[in-house]
Amino acid sequence: MAQSTPLFVGLDVHKDSIAVAHAAGGSTAPPVFVGAIGPRQIDLDQLLRRLHGKTSALTFAYEAGPSGYGLYRYLTGKGLPCQVGAPSLIPKKPGDRVKTDRRDAVELARLLRSGDLTAVYVPSVEDEALRDLCRARDAARVTSKDAKLRLKAFLLRLGRHYVGRATWNDARRRYLAKVVCPTPAQQIVFQESVRAVDEQVDRVQRLEGPKQALDGSQYGGTQPTDISRINRRCYWSRSCPAAGSHSRSIGCADRASDLAALCGPLMGGAVCSAAWTSRSHP
């Protein structure tokens, strides 16, 4: 019969395997390494039956990583508590650089039992889908900008300089349609560069439509974070490099990159824009 002593289970998750260790609650005994299992649901079900034979009170934890939140949703769907730990906030001993699956699983179990594991926010399926769409849109915008810069740099080397508006509009396309390069090879490079820009611009437009249909805000729901701990002056000083004198007095950094690190690159950009706008609207 299963005991009532809680069991804290640490999982070191990889693409092809999951290392498992557990630590008994209310005890100072070192965690026990169980072994490695496969990543399939049938392997997880076998592990759960094995652990339920020891106790009915199970709590799981694993590090956030490229495997996503599928394991978290599977365990919580079965009514089992699970935490996804922040890898950058896991306490580490100075000079301890040895990293193995076994040691990671044992350390996760120990930290989970002691309450020293910092959990990350786990988005819902809808929030994660919107986040993926926003990231794809931003990646397309960066690629489009790079393609335009490459084309402008190529034309500048040939002494071709467009004096109209910088936006990629019909007037600029008409100008590009009249450009003739000195050699056939350069003409091929030019045509391929223009085609690359057009493809990336179309890609951005294809991604903009679904994003606006799903959510009217630019970054709504993509990277939720708790910014209530940032007071107004700290909020502004982190967002505005010109507010360095105020930021030093309250112990806040005066670089917008600090805010992006706190909120994430997408949410950080939106918050920085809001901070600049709020200068004249307290």
Side-chain angles (χ1 to χ4, degrees):
M1 182 176 179
Q3 301 177 0
S4 59
T5 303
L7 207 62
F8 299 91
V9 185
L11 305 173
D12 188 46
V13 181
H14 297 278
K15 180 181 67 174
D16 299 322
S17 64
I18 301 177
V20 184
H22 60 72
S27 173
T28 58
V32 178
F33 180 69
V34 177
I37 64 172
R40 303 174 302 172
Q41 290 186 359
I42 186 174
D43 300 320
L44 292 172
D45 291 337
Q46 292 176 355
L47 174 66
L48 293 179
R49 287 194 295 269
R50 181 178 175 183
L51 295 177
H52 275 305
K54 299 178 179 293
T55 180
S56 58
L58 297 174
T59 303
F60 293 83
Y62 68 96
E63 288 186 37
S67 299
Y69 305 108
L71 178 58
Y72 170 88
R73 297 188 180 109
Y74 183 74
L75 293 174
T76 54
K78 289 183 171 293
L80 298 171
C82 182
Q83 294 184 23
V84 182
S88 60
L89 299 180
I90 292 180
K92 296 180 181 179
K93 297 179 180 179
D96 186 6
R97 300 182 179 179
V98 179
K99 186 175 177 65
T100 64
D101 297 349
R102 175 172 183 155
R103 294 188 65 174
D104 288 348
V106 169
E107 185 68 9
L108 283 171
R110 186 185 66 82
L111 293 174
L112 182 61
R113 178 178 62 181
S114 62
D116 295 327
L117 189 65
T118 303
V120 302
Y121 168 80
V122 178
S124 64
V125 176
E126 293 77 13
D127 285 346
E128 189 174 13
L130 186 58
R131 174 187 293 180
D132 291 337
L133 182 59
C134 288
R135 288 174 173 172
R137 188 269 310 272
D138 282 2
R141 293 173 63 182
V142 171
T143 307
S144 176
K145 182 179 179 181
D146 292 342
K148 294 176 182 178
L149 289 175
R150 285 192 295 268
L151 177 58
K152 290 171 62 177
F154 174 75
L155 292 176
L156 187 60
R157 290 198 303 270
L158 299 181
R160 310 277 183 167
H161 178 60
Y162 180 67
V163 296
R165 297 181 60 186
T167 56
W168 198 261
N169 51 18
D170 294 337
R172 187 157 193 165
R173 287 187 173 89
R174 288 192 296 268
Y175 165 80
L176 293 174
K178 300 176 183 179
V179 172
V180 179
C181 297
T183 65
Q186 290 174 325
Q187 187 68 24
I188 293 174
V189 174
F190 168 71
Q191 293 174 349
E192 289 300 321
S193 299
V194 172
R195 185 176 293 110
V197 172
D198 291 337
E199 291 175 353
Q200 295 304 322
V201 170
D202 293 341
R203 181 187 174 198
V204 172
Q205 292 176 351
R206 290 195 303 269
L207 291 170
E208 284 284 357
K211 175 63 179 69
Q212 293 176 358
L214 289 173
D215 190 353
S217 61
Q218 184 179 12
Y219 289 107
T222 58
Q223 290 198 354
T225 184
D226 180 15
I227 60 174
S228 60
R229 61 184 180 275
I230 307 176
N231 59 43
R232 188 172 179 275
R233 290 186 63 187
C234 181
Y235 168 83
W236 167 235
S237 63
R238 281 181 178 266
S239 305
C240 177
S245 58
H246 298 292
S247 63
R248 295 187 189 93
S249 62
I250 58 177
C252 296
D254 58 354
R255 300 179 64 88
S257 58
D258 295 328
L259 184 65
L262 175 66
C263 302
L266 299 182
M267 188 66 180
V271 173
C272 287
S273 299
W276 281 103
T277 305
S278 67
R279 288 179 301 165
S280 56
H281 298 82

